[in-house]
């Protein structure tokens, strides 16, 4: 309750004075841009909410993905403002739409032109924002239950491929998110290359021991083929921590997943 009240107060304060969201940066030089492609999505049938991301920066999982069970998911990238994650989720929890949350988050951010963010709420409403100064190619696409976005990409086809792959895929949310990453990479991905990837899926009571909501929280911080490695680790995680609802992929489906992971 205390943490919720703290987030509630922060969200109310931001609504009244959005400038509180951004403090003066305490580093001698700005951090590198999180050039990446990501997707935020929800499975309304199971209540799962998640984020998948790949980037040409080390440790992308520590920056981009944010999610809260029953609330929504946020991907903050480009010249990422990590406060968009917790504050944006608090804004959603208070009843704002993803579009309204983005408007509140970016309104008084002096660097909003360099920000990129995608948001989905538990109902499936979504929104994506790309600042005018994000490096080309940069942009996003939203649909029912998801938002895909990226910057410094090979082209618009990366985001289009991610969206189409997610819409066409079936099965559990984690598999659909990974399918979107595969499609984005196959379409050219980050034009600077590959380095790290992450998958985050939350669902109330599905975390370790049923004591939290972080069901899948997998990160590949540094690898020559981060999406392939992410899939390998995901399979290990899935074997050790099966889905409580029994909807894990059957052997035939698993073989298809492994074949997809082996493709360059």
């Amino acid at each position: 309750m205390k943490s919720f009240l703290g987030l509630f107060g922060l969200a109310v304060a931001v609504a009244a004075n959005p400038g509180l969201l951004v403090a003066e940066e305490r580093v001698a030089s700005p951090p590198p841009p999180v050039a990446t492609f990501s997707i935020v999505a929800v499975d309304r049938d199971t209540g799962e909410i998640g984020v998948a991301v790949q980037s040409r920066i080390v440790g992308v999982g520590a920056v981009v993905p944010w999610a809260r069970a029953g609330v929504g998911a946020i991907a903050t990238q480009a010249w990422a403002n990590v406060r968009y994650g917790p504050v944006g989720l608090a804004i959603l929890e208070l009843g704002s739409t993803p579009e309204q949350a983005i408007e509140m988050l970016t309104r008084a951010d002096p660097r909003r032109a360099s920000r990129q963010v995608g948001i989905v709420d538990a109902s499936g409403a979504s929104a994506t924002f790309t600042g005018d100064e994000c490096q080309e190619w940069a942009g996003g696409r939203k649909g029912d239950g998801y938002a895909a976005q990226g910057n410094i990409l090979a082209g618009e086809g990366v985001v289009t491929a991610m969206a189409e792959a997610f819409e066409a895929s079936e099965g559990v949310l984690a598999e659909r998110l990974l399918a979107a990453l595969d499609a984005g990479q196959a379409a050219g991905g980050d034009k600077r290359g590959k380095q790290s990837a992450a998958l985050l899926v939350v669902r109330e009571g599905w975390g370790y021991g049923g004591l939290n909501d972080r069901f899948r929280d997998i990160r590949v911080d540094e690898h020559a083929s981060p999406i392939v490695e992410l899939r390998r680790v995901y399979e290990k995680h899935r074997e050790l921590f099966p889905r409580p609802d029994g909807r894990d992929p059957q052997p035939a489906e698993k073989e298809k997943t492994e074949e997809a992971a082996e493709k360059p």
Side-chain angles (χ1 to χ4, degrees):
M1 178 63 73
K2 183 178 180 181
S3 61
F4 172 77
L5 291 176
L7 288 172
F8 177 88
L10 178 58
V12 171
V14 169
N17 181 11
L20 293 175
L21 185 65
V22 182
E24 182 179 353
E25 293 195 23
R26 298 179 178 87
V27 292
S29 59
V34 186
T36 187
F37 52 96
S38 69
I39 181 168
V40 294
V42 60
D43 184 332
R44 286 185 291 267
D45 292 336
T46 66
E48 293 167 274
I49 303 172
V51 188
V53 57
Q54 198 269 176
S55 181
R56 181 63 171 87
I57 190 174
V58 68
V60 70
V63 179
V64 172
W66 301 79
R68 184 175 302 154
V71 177
I74 296 176
T76 176
Q77 54 203 54
W79 293 101
N81 185 337
V82 294
R83 294 186 180 183
Y84 280 13
V87 176
L89 290 171
I91 291 171
L92 290 180
E93 196 163 14
L94 291 174
S96 295
T97 67
E99 292 280 3
Q100 291 168 335
I102 286 178
E103 195 281 326
M104 291 175 65
L105 290 170
T106 59
R107 184 190 310 162
D109 183 346
R111 295 188 176 179
R112 61 184 174 275
S114 299
R115 312 294 193 194
Q116 188 172 55
V117 59
I119 301 180
V120 66
D121 69 16
S123 76
S126 62
T128 184
F129 167 84
T130 299
D132 294 339
E133 295 178 10
C134 289
Q135 298 178 52
E136 292 291 344
W137 187 89
R141 174 171 163 176
K142 68 175 185 175
D144 182 27
Y146 76 91
Q149 46 281 315
N151 62 93
I152 318 186
L153 301 182
E156 184 176 1
V158 176
V159 169
T160 300
M162 292 177 67
E164 291 178 349
F166 183 80
E167 291 175 356
S169 63
E170 298 179 352
V172 301
L173 183 61
E175 301 281 350
R176 298 181 68 195
L177 291 171
L178 291 172
L181 286 191
D182 284 335
Q185 186 59 49
D190 183 334
K191 68 182 181 182
R192 301 182 310 164
K194 303 173 287 184
Q195 191 165 8
S196 65
L199 171 69
L200 173 63
V201 176
V202 299
R203 203 274 197 186
E204 185 176 358
W206 278 18
Y208 186 86
L211 299 176
N212 67 22
D213 301 331
R214 301 179 78 83
F215 179 44
R216 306 285 187 212
D217 189 359
I218 305 168
R219 304 178 183 186
V220 174
D221 288 336
E222 169 67 30
H223 198 276
S225 299
I227 298 175
V228 174
E229 178 67 3
L230 185 67
R231 275 190 171 276
R232 186 190 70 81
V233 178
Y234 164 72
E235 289 296 333
K236 294 292 185 181
H237 194 271
R238 190 177 65 78
E239 291 172 5
L240 186 60
F241 300 105
R243 294 174 59 86
D245 62 2
R247 286 186 57 197
D248 282 306
Q250 297 304 305
E253 297 177 79
K254 181 180 177 183
E255 289 175 7
K256 292 179 182 179
T257 297
E258 291 174 344
E259 288 175 4
E262 291 173 357
K263 293 180 180 179

